[in-house]
Amino acid sequence: MELLFAVLGGLIVGAVAHVVLPWRSTRGSLLGPVVGGIVAAVLWEALTWAGWQYDATWIWVVTLVGAGVVALVVEWFLGKRRTAADTAYYERVKASGA
C-alpha cells in the first residue's frame, strides 16, 4: 500500500516539476509525472530491499526528493534540447530559402 502512495507522490512531484519549469510547450504534459512516478517506484523498492522501514521518515524524503530532482533534470534537459533543435531547424530551413 505504501508503494502506491510513493508512486502517487512521485506523480504529483513530477507534475509540479512540469509546471514550474519553462518550455512547457516543448515537452509532453505527462513527461514529468511519468518520470516522477517511475523514479519514485524504483527508489522505494530499492530502499525497502536495502532494509529501510516503511514507516520511517527518511524513506519518504529520499523517494520524493529523488523523484522530484530526476523529473526536474529530465524536463530541463529535454526542454533546452528541444528548443535548440527547433532553432537549428529554423535556421537550416531559412538558409535553404524555403
Side-chain angles (χ1 to χ4, degrees):
M1 190 65 168
E2 288 86 0
L3 176 62
L4 173 67
F5 293 134
V7 172
L8 287 174
L11 292 171
I12 292 169
V13 169
V16 169
H18 175 73
V19 171
V20 298
L21 287 178
W23 310 297
R24 276 184 222 98
S25 63
T26 63
R27 299 182 311 263
S29 60
L30 293 178
L31 177 67
V34 167
V35 169
I38 290 171
V39 170
V42 170
L43 277 175
W44 182 268
E45 285 300 314
L47 293 174
T48 56
W49 290 340
W52 291 29
Q53 297 298 315
Y54 296 144
D55 57 352
T57 303
W58 284 109
I59 192 170
W60 291 100
V61 171
V62 170
T63 298
L64 296 178
V65 169
V69 167
V70 171
L72 283 170
V73 168
V74 166
E75 291 201 7
W76 182 273
F77 173 75
L78 290 179
K80 286 192 69 95
R81 183 173 171 256
R82 173 69 186 266
T83 302
D86 287 350
T87 302
Y89 177 73
Y90 174 73
E91 292 300 326
R92 194 169 60 243
V93 169
K94 188 171 81 172
S96 70

